[in-house]
């Protein structure tokens, strides 16, 4: 439910390596869920995160940058 439109390609930055992060994913029927994943692209306003979940058939989703937090290296 918190998916945002894909930003224009010229605004996107692609990660050279995936960046560990946590993201709030708002599911239509199950509500919000905090999930550990990886950021693979971004703009100042949105982040492309990988989604490993049967409820989402695509490999990733663009969400508002405010819904994503970078994880500290382990």
């Amino acid at each position: 439910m918190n998916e945002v439109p894909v930003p224009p390609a010229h605004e996107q930055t692609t990660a050279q390596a995936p960046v560990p992060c946590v993201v709030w994913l708002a599911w239509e029927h199950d509500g919000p869920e905090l999930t550990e994943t990886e950021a693979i692209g971004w703009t100042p306003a949105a982040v492309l995160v990988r989604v490993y979940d049967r409820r989402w058939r695509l490999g990733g989703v663009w969400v508002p940058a405010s819904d994503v937090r970078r994880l500290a290296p382990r």
Side-chain angles (χ1 to χ4, degrees), residues 6 10 12 14-15 22 28 31 36 38 42 44 46 50 56 67-68:
V6 176
H10 69 275
Q12 298 177 23
T14 303
V22 293
E28 182 176 4
E36 282 193 33
E38 299 168 322
W42 56 84
R50 289 187 173 153
W56 191 255
D67 290 354
V68 181

Side-chain angles (χ1 to χ4, degrees), residues 13-68:
T13 300
T14 303
Q16 290 184 6
V19 178
C21 64
V22 293
V23 60
W24 280 106
L25 295 175
W27 299 103
E28 182 176 4
H29 299 289
D30 299 327
E33 179 180 286
L34 190 61
T35 304
E36 282 193 33
T37 188
E38 299 168 322
I40 53 177
W42 56 84
T43 71
V47 179
L48 176 60
V49 295
R50 289 187 173 153
V51 177
Y52 304 104
D53 194 290
R54 62 175 175 71
R55 295 170 288 185
W56 191 255
R57 294 178 186 225
L58 304 174
V61 65
W62 285 94
V63 295
S66 59
D67 290 354
V68 181

